[in-house]
Every structure is written in structure tokens, then in C-alpha cells.
Amino acid sequence: MSSSWQHGYIRDGIMVHFHHGNHSDPYKPIGNDSLDVACKGCFVRFDTTACVRSGLMTLFVTVTGLLCAAKLCRLHQKNQRTVHQYIIFYTALVECVLCAIHWIYAKYTQIEFGLQYLKLIQFLVVCHVYCCLAARVTRKEQLSSRVVGPLFVLAFIYFTVITVMGMLDARSSWVDCREPEWILLSSMEFVLVQLFLVSGIYITKKLNKISTQAETRREQKRDLWGLIGVFELSATITLIYDINMLIWADEDNGCSGVFLHSQWFYSLIYALLELLKFMLPIWTMMCVFHPVEPASTDFDSSWAEDGTYTSVFSPQRGNRYRRLQNPTSSPAALHSSRSFPVLPPIHEEETSPLPSV
């Protein structure tokens, strides 16, 4: 039977104890709080550098939350009929509130898992829409219903189960970066982003073949690849960070030891990581997703009478777009489910494959 033992050393006049052996209590700190850079802030274990970092990050997220609330007000005013933007911006608003609480006051691992989960929900919504669109533009609609849909349902269940496991198995900030759930979440997110990337390639190939103005086509591709690039950057940085923390952190020096117990070093890395991980995707989606007029939310809203089209991400201006009746559609199709955009059949001379979201 293993027995616990400890040793220590003196650092800056403070006796630092390290505990070894059987850690029966997962919530018991394994180091000294005077060295743990992650647990310091403005209200608990005050540190000037940590407080300035937390204050600035909270300011950014507060402004972001207000913008999300304004976006939601516009969606309700426009009577948006599709649910994608509601899901994205309601979860983003909750994410901003939790970020503010987490950064300025409550340094709980459970909140960090909750933030990661909300971000993944937003990504799943966006990714599912465009993966279904890629299947449609390649005339493989059955692939969307038989493969893409079930795949994203499984991904949602996977993220939910792993997040709950991470919350239940949460430990102190000294060793929480070594939890395997972080790798399980970030690695699956990275895989799904590559699926989003492949969908973007198919959509881009379709855009290159359609008969539309060059400027409009450039805007569509710019917005689409801007969205893909942001999620790719966020997922890659998160995965690299989680892998490095799992490799270099240990129970003796803790997660803080990876940063040499330097609050300046930790604050720089942590602030950059959190902004790229959580805030950048929200900022991008706020820039590219806009409410559309109630009359423009039907399946044929992206088909203009004059052969032009505004990007899926751009707000529609004035009365430039008028509804056209699709002669190939049955009346029942007009009342089909609106959970995701329903597109008309793809033909080579159509103006754009991108739906209104």
C-alpha cells in the first residue's frame, strides 16, 4: 500500500510543499498557491498582473456580450425564421457571461469545460449547414441525410458526454491542464474542422463554375474561407496547447511549472489563447451573419431575379431581392422543416449555391 510523503523548499521566503503518493482527494491542491499562476486574480489571491489581464479580458467579453444581445434583438425584430443564428448567438451570449465570471472572479475548471462546450455547439451548427450544402452542390443529397446528419448527432453526444465527464473529474488549477478530457474535446474539434475545410473546397469549386459577377463571387469566397480560417486557427491552437500541457505538466511542478511560475508569461499565453479560442469565432460570426427579411428566409431566397446574389453572410439591402417560384418544387416542399436551409436543385447556370442562414 503506497504511503503519502512530502518534501519542500524555500522560495522567496515561502516554504513550498509538494505532496507525493496516493492523492485520494482530487480537489486537494498538490502544490503551493503562492506559485500557482492560474489561481490568482483580482478578488482571490490578488496579483497585479493577473488582475490587469483579467480586467482587460473581461472588458472585451462584456462588449462582445452586448453586441451579441443587440444581434439577438435584431433577429427577433426581423422575425428570423431559421434557427441557426438564434442558436449561435444565444449560446454566444451565455458564453460571454460565463467568460466574464470565469476570468474576473471564479477560476473553476467546470466553467472552462462549459465554455468549450458552448463554443463547440456553435461550431457544430455552422459546420453542419455547410457540410449539407457541400453534399447538395455535389448532387449527393443522400450523403447528407444518411452520413452527415448522423455524424453530427454523434459528435454532439460525444461532446456532451466528454464535457460532463470533465466537469465531474475536475481537479484544482495546479493539475487541471493534465485532464485527458481536454485532448478528447480539442482533437475531435480539429477533425470536424477538417470536414468543414473539405466542404469549403467543394463549395468553392461550385462558385467558380456559376454565372455570377466576379465581385460577388469573391465576396462569397472571402466570407466562407474567413469563417473556415477562424475555426481552423482556433481548433489548431487549442489542440497544440492541450498537447503541450499534457506533455510538459506534471504533478510536482503543476501546470504553473510549464510557464516557469511566471505570471507575465502565463498572462500573455493565457490571454492570447482564450481570445483566439472563444472570442475570435464569436467576433467573426457577428461580422458575417446578419438577419434577413422574413420574406427572404424561404428556400429560394438566395435566387435573385436579376441573376445576382448577396453573400450568405451579408445583409440583404432594400428590395433588391424578390422571391421567385421554383417550378420544380411541390407545395408540400414549401412547408417542409426549416431546421436547416432547404436548397433548390443545383444546375450549372444557377447564380449561387449559398443559402440564407
Side-chain angles (χ1 to χ4, degrees):
M1 181 175 182
S2 61
S3 60
S4 300
W5 58 279
Q6 65 181 24
H7 73 275
Y9 64 90
I10 297 178
R11 178 188 176 97
D12 298 330
I14 301 174
M15 186 63 184
V16 180
H17 297 280
F18 292 121
H19 306 270
H20 300 266
N22 182 20
H23 305 293
S24 58
D25 184 2
Y27 293 95
K28 183 178 180 180
I30 308 178
N32 192 292
D33 290 339
S34 63
L35 288 180
D36 190 0
V37 294
C39 69
K40 297 179 181 179
C42 296
F43 300 100
V44 180
R45 303 180 183 90
F46 178 82
D47 181 270
T48 303
T49 303
C51 187
V52 171
R53 178 204 73 219
S54 300
L56 291 175
M57 293 173 65
T58 303
L59 177 62
F60 281 127
V61 77
T62 300
V63 174
T64 303
L66 293 175
L67 293 175
C68 286
K71 180 75 73 172
L72 286 168
C73 290
R74 290 187 60 197
L75 288 174
H76 286 287
Q77 289 175 354
K78 296 290 185 179
N79 193 25
Q80 187 79 14
R81 293 173 60 185
T82 54
V83 300
H84 311 92
Q85 293 192 48
Y86 288 117
I87 296 175
I88 289 172
F89 291 114
Y90 268 115
T91 55
L93 180 59
V94 175
E95 184 179 337
C96 289
V97 173
L98 290 179
C99 277
I101 296 173
H102 181 58
W103 290 342
I104 199 67
Y105 181 72
K107 302 290 182 178
Y108 294 123
T109 304
Q110 290 89 341
I111 296 181
E112 189 80 17
F113 274 111
L115 293 173
Q116 178 75 352
Y117 182 72
L118 291 173
K119 174 207 168 182
L120 292 171
I121 294 300
Q122 298 161 26
F123 169 69
L124 283 177
V125 172
V126 175
C127 187
H128 182 269
V129 169
Y130 287 99
C131 286
C132 291
L133 176 58
R136 182 172 290 272
V137 299
T138 56
R139 298 186 176 91
K140 296 180 180 179
E141 289 84 353
Q142 291 185 351
L143 182 66
S144 174
S145 60
R146 297 182 181 180
V147 178
V148 176
L151 175 64
F152 278 88
V153 170
L154 291 177
F156 173 77
I157 296 174
Y158 174 87
F159 287 140
T160 303
V161 171
I162 298 300
T163 300
V164 172
M165 289 174 56
M167 290 180 173
L168 295 177
D169 194 37
R171 303 176 67 182
S172 70
S173 60
W174 186 259
V175 291
D176 67 344
C177 66
R178 302 185 71 247
E179 297 297 330
E181 287 82 5
W182 295 120
I183 292 290
L184 294 175
L185 289 174
S186 58
S187 59
M188 178 58 71
E189 179 188 7
F190 183 79
V191 171
L192 290 178
V193 169
Q194 308 319 306
L195 182 61
F196 191 15
L197 175 65
V198 173
S199 300
I201 293 174
Y202 281 111
I203 295 172
T204 301
K205 289 181 178 180
K206 178 62 179 179
L207 283 172
N208 292 333
K209 296 178 180 179
I210 61 177
S211 57
T212 187
Q213 297 178 358
E215 182 180 357
T216 301
R217 188 162 55 243
R218 283 195 300 268
E219 290 178 356
Q220 292 171 345
K221 289 191 288 187
R222 177 202 63 197
D223 293 338
L224 174 62
W225 283 99
L227 199 63
I228 294 174
V230 165
F231 279 114
E232 187 78 52
L233 177 65
S234 178
T236 302
I237 290 179
T238 302
L239 180 60
I240 292 175
Y241 177 84
D242 291 339
I243 291 175
N244 277 277
M245 296 304 289
L246 186 63
I247 292 175
W248 298 108
D250 56 48
E251 293 193 356
D252 284 349
N253 294 311
C255 303
S256 180
V258 178
F259 305 97
L260 306 177
H261 306 295
S262 170
Q263 186 62 240
W264 280 100
F265 186 29
Y266 171 77
S267 295
L268 177 63
I269 299 299
Y270 181 75
L272 183 62
L273 172 71
E274 296 292 280
L275 293 178
L276 292 177
K277 183 178 180 179
F278 297 124
M279 293 294 99
L280 184 60
I282 295 178
W283 295 338
T284 304
M285 289 185 290
M286 282 195 298
C287 290
V288 300
F289 290 136
H290 300 275
V292 295
E293 297 297 334
S296 300
T297 57
D298 291 315
F299 74 99
D300 52 357
S301 61
S302 60
W303 305 91
E305 189 173 2
D306 58 358
T308 58
Y309 178 77
T310 294
S311 169
V312 59
F313 309 118
S314 303
Q316 297 186 4
R317 299 174 177 86
N319 296 323
R320 179 182 176 185
Y321 302 100
R322 296 186 294 271
R323 175 173 174 173
L324 296 180
Q325 179 66 35
N326 189 330
T328 62
S329 300
S330 63
L334 298 177
H335 304 284
S336 59
S337 174
R338 308 288 185 192
S339 297
F340 292 94
V342 181
L343 304 180
I346 299 297
H347 303 292
E348 288 301 321
E349 296 302 321
E350 287 174 342
T351 57
S352 174
L354 298 181
S356 295
V357 177

